[in-house]
Amino acid sequence: MITRTVYKTARDEDGNHRSEGEIRDVPWVAIAPVANAIRVLERRVPEGQLLFDHHAHDLRGTRTGTGSLTVHTLGIRVEDFITWANHEAAAHGLANEVIPPDPHGRIGTERFRRSLAWHIARRPGGLVELAIQYGHLRSSVSAGYAARSRDGIHDLLDVETARATIDTVADLKAALEDGLGISGPAARRAIKAAATAPRYTGTVITARQARQILANPHLVVYGNPHTLLMCVYKRDKALCHRGLKDTPSLDQCVPACANIARTDEHAAGLQRHATALDQQAGHVPGPLGERLRDNATRLRDLADVHHRTRATLQDGTA
């Protein structure tokens, strides 16, 4: 997608600073739901107007002049969204999906943004999506620009990344104590991380604590449900890149990587996925069906390796 951005540091041909800035077309990376939402907004407003132009979105039509919806109005829209979501949950009998009243009052745009970030970070591949949507690809945008344009967005990214990491380690610790089996070249490092991690459950993690957590080499455990494994990251062992980054590329996991660990839950997921591939293979042409069956066999082999080499705390093999 292409957006128009005002560059405040623009200079003229003589090198003098242009106080009014310069409008430039720049690419904006967005995940599919965001791109679709923007396309809908583009249809609702006249060409060349703001996406949230108040003339198009102000249902009461009481405001004059130009500009976008105000923060106050957007806050009301957030509350209206919660009402709509609860109505839909009730209509479909989804009691667990109801958004409960907040004891601290109205949600507002800032708290809505942070709540949304929390949920994005805990989806498969969510940290990547969170970085895209809230940081505009931190590696592609300078720290100064991101800080100015997103009001400390790097702190938000650090906090949510740290929370996701702590949640992964805490869940692993509880599961290991319940008898969960674990395998893989990084299994012992994962067990050590679970045993020594500080407890943050129920506490508010500050940006400073988040940076300390992310800097702790014993806490770099990343859940990656999409690839049915856990990454216990060590930079010099990573195969997802050539040791050039301080964090893993979870969308490029390599099965032979020394940072991989798998649990009984991952192995069960491999078996389920293999069964689904076999079912798909029966409904597609020969060559494609063979490829699906080969992939199913590979997944079952990974699950078998796990069951042969798994260790648990209870049997003393971990």
Side-chain angles (χ1 to χ4, degrees), residues 287-318:
L288 181 56
E290 287 299 318
R291 184 181 303 174
L292 291 174
R293 279 186 280 269
D294 288 344
N295 284 336
T297 299
R298 179 179 60 83
L299 296 181
R300 289 193 177 94
D301 289 343
L302 290 174
D304 290 341
V305 169
H306 166 78
H307 289 300
R308 289 198 308 269
T309 60
R310 68 190 287 274
T312 67
L313 296 180
Q314 284 71 20
D315 61 19
T317 57

Side-chain angles (χ1 to χ4, degrees), residues 13 86 245 272:
E13 57 186 12
N86 286 343
K245 297 168 58 180
R272 289 193 298 272

